[in-house]
Amino acid sequence: MRTRPRLFVTLTAPSFGPVHRTGEQCRPRRDRGTCDHGRSLGCGAVHDAADPLVGQPICPDCYDYTAHVLWHAHASKLWDRFVIDVRRRLATSAGIVQSRFAQHARLSFARVAEYQKRAAVHVHAVVRLDGPDGPADDPPAWGTADRLTDAVQTSARRVLVRTPYSPAVGELVLRWGSQIDARQLRADGDGPDDDAVAAYVAKYVTKGADETGAGTDHKLTTWADIDTAPVSGHVRALMRTCWRLGGLPEYAPLHLRTWAHTLGYRGHILTKSRAYSTTYAALRAERAHHVGHADILDTVTERNWRYVGSGHTPGAALIAAGVAEDLAASSEIARDEREVSR
C-alpha cells in the first residue's frame, strides 16, 4: 500500500478574528488604528510559544465567537461533504459517472483533529486511493497522486455547510480555512514518509482538549461549571457561547451545551474510513480471542467475585470532605465575583 496514491492533508478552520501569534512581531501595523471598541488593531510584541497571550483575540469583543462555535459543531459534516466531493472530482476528472465511482476506486482515510492555540480545531488526514475492493486492490491507472491532489485542493475550497436559520444569528455559511496543505506521501524518500506522519499524528491523538488548553476533559452541567473551569478567558467565552446558543431551539440538534467542554466540537479525535485498515471490531475480536485462548504461564485469572463493601475508607472520607469544602468555597467566590461585576 506504500505505492498507492496517498496524501497527508491538513485542513484548517477559517479566521474568526485576529489573535496573538508567535513570530518576530505579533501583528505589526504602521498606523495606530483601533477597532470599534477602542482597542489597538495591532500588537508589536514578540511572543514565544509559551506566552499565554498566544491564541487569544486581539479584541475579544470583535471576535466572532458565534461563528467559531457553530463551525466546530458542523466540522464533521463539513468533512463528510469534503470526502464526498473528492470522490466526485476524481470521477469527473477520470471521465466516469459519479454514481459509479465505487465500481472503479475507493477513497480511504484516517483523520485526526487537533486544537490550535486559538482553540479552533483543524484536521490532519492521510487520504489514500485504492481499487474498488479496498486495500487489497490496486487503484485504476487514472488514479494518480497528482489527480488526487487536485481533487483534494479543489474540494477543500468549494464545499460548504449552511447553519440552520436563527432569528438571533441568521444563517451562516461555513467553509474550510484558506490554509490548505496536501503533501504526497512517497516510499522513495522524496517527501514525507510514513514514520514521520505516524509520529506527527500520534502526538495529537494522545492529547485531549484539556491538555491543549482548549477545553476540559469532563462535561459541564451548569453555567457555574463554566465560571470555575481552569481555562483562559478566550476558552471560557467559547464555552459560554456554547451554553447560550444551546438554549436556542433551532440549535437543539447540535447539543451545544452537552459539548460545551469541547467548545462545540462533536467529532472524535481519531476517525477513519472502514476500508482504510482493519476495523476496531476486528481488533476487539482478536484481542478477546487471544485473552480467552492464549496459554500464558504463571497467570491467574480470577472469575469469582464477592462483595466487600462500598464508600470511602475513614482516611479517604476526610480527603473527600476537604475536596467538597474547596469546591463549595470556589463556587461561592465565583458567585461573589459575578455579583461585584454587576
Side-chain angles (χ1 to χ4, degrees):
M1 288 186 288
R2 289 182 173 232
T3 59
R4 304 282 171 81
R6 296 173 302 151
L7 303 179
F8 183 56
V9 178
T10 298
L11 303 176
T12 62
S15 173
F16 306 109
V19 298
H20 292 278
R21 58 191 179 186
T22 57
E24 293 184 1
Q25 277 192 315
C26 176
R27 291 188 177 274
R29 291 180 64 94
R30 293 183 178 180
D31 59 19
R32 296 183 178 273
T34 59
C35 68
D36 293 339
H37 306 97
R39 294 186 177 92
S40 174
L41 294 173
C43 174
V46 178
H47 305 295
D48 60 34
D51 192 327
L53 271 180
V54 174
Q56 306 299 300
I58 297 292
C59 175
D61 293 318
C62 291
Y63 195 86
D64 196 346
Y65 284 100
T66 296
H68 188 145
V69 165
L70 291 177
W71 191 91
H72 270 180
H74 291 84
S76 294
K77 180 181 288 188
L78 191 60
W79 171 262
D80 290 342
R81 293 193 177 179
F82 163 74
V83 172
I84 291 171
D85 198 73
V86 170
R87 295 191 185 105
R88 290 173 176 172
R89 295 307 104 207
L90 287 170
T92 299
S93 65
I96 61 178
V97 179
Q98 293 180 1
S99 60
R100 296 181 180 176
F101 175 80
Q103 300 175 14
H104 298 268
R106 181 189 290 267
L107 190 70
S108 301
F109 64 85
R111 183 194 72 175
V112 173
E114 175 207 356
Y115 284 90
Q116 297 172 297
K117 284 286 190 178
R118 59 184 174 129
V121 164
H122 69 185
V123 172
H124 303 289
V126 176
V127 179
R128 189 183 69 223
L129 190 62
D130 297 321
D133 293 331
D137 196 7
D138 290 331
W142 53 259
T144 64
D146 289 339
R147 177 165 279 166
L148 180 58
T149 301
D150 291 341
V152 164
Q153 292 178 339
T154 300
S155 297
R157 291 185 173 90
R158 73 186 301 272
V159 296
L160 57 86
V161 172
R162 298 182 186 275
T163 64
Y165 174 78
S166 167
V169 177
E171 181 188 68
L172 302 185
V173 177
L174 307 175
R175 302 177 182 271
W176 294 109
S178 59
Q179 294 180 329
I180 300 167
D181 188 32
R183 304 182 188 182
Q184 296 183 19
L185 293 176
R186 307 174 68 99
D188 57 9
D190 186 13
D193 60 20
D194 298 273
D195 293 338
V197 170
Y200 188 71
V201 169
K203 180 175 67 173
Y204 298 111
V205 172
T206 55
K207 287 186 177 181
D210 60 318
E211 294 178 274
T212 58
T216 65
D217 60 357
H218 59 276
K219 292 186 176 181
L220 307 170
T221 57
T222 66
W223 182 269
D225 288 344
I226 299 176
D227 290 339
T228 57
V231 295
S232 68
H234 176 52
V235 171
R236 198 182 316 279
L238 286 166
M239 291 176 172
R240 287 171 175 165
T241 303
C242 285
W243 201 266
R244 293 190 185 100
L245 294 178
L248 300 178
E250 55 269 27
Y251 295 138
L254 301 179
H255 304 288
L256 290 173
R257 290 187 175 181
T258 301
W259 296 100
H261 65 299
T262 56
L263 316 183
Y265 179 67
R266 300 181 295 156
H268 293 286
I269 294 299
L270 172 64
T271 56
K272 72 177 188 67
S273 59
R274 184 175 182 82
Y276 182 81
S277 62
T278 185
T279 63
Y280 295 125
L283 289 175
R284 287 193 295 270
E286 183 66 24
R287 188 181 302 114
H289 176 79
H290 172 76
V291 172
H293 297 84
D295 185 13
I296 304 175
L297 298 177
D298 301 325
T299 300
V300 177
T301 302
E302 179 62 63
R303 290 187 174 87
N304 297 316
W305 299 82
R306 63 186 179 87
Y307 177 75
V308 175
S310 59
H312 295 295
T313 63
L318 291 175
I319 296 175
V323 171
E325 291 177 0
D326 290 341
L327 290 175
S330 297
S331 297
E332 185 175 351
I333 291 171
R335 186 166 53 252
D336 292 342
E337 289 179 349
R338 289 198 303 273
E339 292 177 356
V340 171
S341 63
R342 291 173 184 170

